[in-house]
Amino acid sequence: MGLAVVCDFTYVAESAKLSFPEMRKGLPPAAIMAYLSRYALPKRLFPLVLFASEFTAAQASELGLVTQLSTKASLKADVDAVIARILAMDAEGARQCKAYFQAAQEGTLSQNFIDATGVLVAQTLRLQGTRS
C-alpha cells in the first residue's frame, strides 16, 4: 500500500481489501509514514497504520490514497486507457508538469508563485523564438 500511495496514478479494484500490515509484526513503517501525511489526513491515517487495520478500496479513495476505483473486470482496461492518454501527450511537457507539481508540494506559496512566473517567462520566450 505504501508504494501504491506514491505512484502518480493508483487504480484499485472496488473489491480490494487494503492495509499497512507492517505493525502486525511490530515494525513501524517509518519510510511510509515519512510521506503518507502528504496524501491524506494524519488523524484518519494513523489508526490504519498503527493497528494495521484492513480497509476497503472505497475508504482508500475517500482518504485520497487512490486515483480511481474500477470494477475487477475493467481494471486492466482502465489502467491501459490512462497509459494511452499519457503516451499520447508531449513527453517533455508531461515531465515538466510532474516536476513542477512535485516542487509545488514542497515549496511555500510565495516561492511557488516566483517559480511559476519564471517558468511562464521562459515558455513565452521559447514560443516567441519559434515564431521568428
Side-chain angles (χ1 to χ4, degrees):
M1 188 65 217
L3 178 60
V5 170
V6 296
C7 290
D8 291 330
F9 297 92
T10 304
Y11 282 58
V12 177
E14 296 168 329
S15 59
K17 298 292 183 192
L18 310 166
S19 70
F20 298 96
E22 293 84 350
M23 285 301 293
R24 291 183 195 143
K25 301 286 185 187
L27 301 170
I32 294 167
M33 290 186 291
Y35 61 79
L36 199 54
S37 65
R38 288 183 176 184
Y39 298 94
L41 298 171
K43 291 261 187 202
R44 302 275 311 274
L45 287 172
F46 183 64
L48 296 175
V49 173
L50 179 66
F51 301 123
S53 304
E54 203 172 75
F55 51 98
T56 66
Q59 288 171 304
S61 180
E62 201 176 285
L63 290 168
L65 299 176
V66 300
T67 306
Q68 180 175 315
L69 299 180
S70 298
T71 64
K72 196 172 184 178
S74 69
L75 183 60
K76 183 179 180 329
D78 292 345
V79 170
D80 288 345
V82 77
I83 291 169
R85 285 185 71 185
I86 293 167
L87 292 175
M89 298 176 70
D90 174 77
E92 184 56 28
R95 276 191 288 280
Q96 287 178 355
C97 184
K98 180 175 177 167
Y100 300 146
F101 191 83
Q102 287 176 324
Q105 286 181 306
E106 296 171 7
T108 64
L109 184 59
S110 59
Q111 186 60 51
N112 290 343
F113 282 129
I114 291 167
D115 293 345
T117 302
V119 168
L120 291 173
V121 168
Q123 288 173 342
T124 301
L125 292 173
R126 189 182 78 223
L127 288 174
Q128 288 175 346
T130 60
R131 288 187 212 157
S132 300

